[in-house]
């Protein structure tokens, strides 16, 4: 791995860094800090898809007197309409 190397470090929204290094041993450590840079995008498009989900869930709504009558009853009886 010894030798001369040219590095290019890039990250979206940051300034690019170019550096040349020379490696002569296995122990090499260097820290690079990327500076933020404004980026003007021409536009943003967001695409999404939603798949229709069919449900077999029965829904029962109780209001007013029917709600008072159903108090304490079995939910199966309430949903089938056989109160009393």
């Amino acid at each position: 791995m010894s030798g001369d190397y040219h590095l290019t470090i890039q990250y979206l929204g940051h300034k690019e860094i170019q550096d040349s290094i020379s490696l002569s041993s296995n122990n090499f450590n260097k820290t690079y800090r990327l500076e933020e840079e404004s980026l003007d995008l021409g536009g943003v498009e967001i695409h999404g898809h939603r798949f229709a989900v069919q449900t077999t869930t029965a829904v029962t709504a109780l209001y007013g007197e029917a709600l008072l009558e159903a108090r304490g009853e079995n939910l199966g009886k309430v949903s089938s309409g056989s109160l009393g």
Side-chain angles (χ1 to χ4, degrees), residues 6 9 17-18 24-26 34 36 42 45 48 50 54-55 62-65 69 78 80:
H6 181 77
I9 304 168
I17 296 175
Q18 293 191 10
S24 57
S25 68
N26 289 336
L34 297 173
E36 289 185 19
E45 288 186 29
R50 181 176 179 200
Q54 293 182 352
T55 179
L62 299 173
Y63 301 98
E65 288 296 320
E69 288 179 26
V78 172
S80 68

Side-chain angles (χ1 to χ4, degrees), residues 10-16 34-40:
Q10 298 174 315
Y11 190 72
L12 186 63
H14 293 77
K15 292 182 182 178
E16 180 181 287
L34 297 173
E35 293 180 42
E36 289 185 19
E37 179 177 55
S38 297
L39 184 63
D40 186 21

Side-chain angles (χ1 to χ4, degrees), residues 1 4-5 11 13 25 27-29 32-33 37 43 47 51-52 55-56 58-60 63 68 70 72-73 82-83:
M1 290 184 67
D4 296 330
Y5 296 89
Y11 190 72
S25 68
N27 295 329
F28 179 81
N29 186 6
Y32 294 93
R33 296 193 189 277
E37 179 177 55
H47 297 271
F51 298 101
T55 179
T56 58
V59 177
T60 302
Y63 301 98
L68 291 174
E73 293 289 334
S82 58
L83 284 176

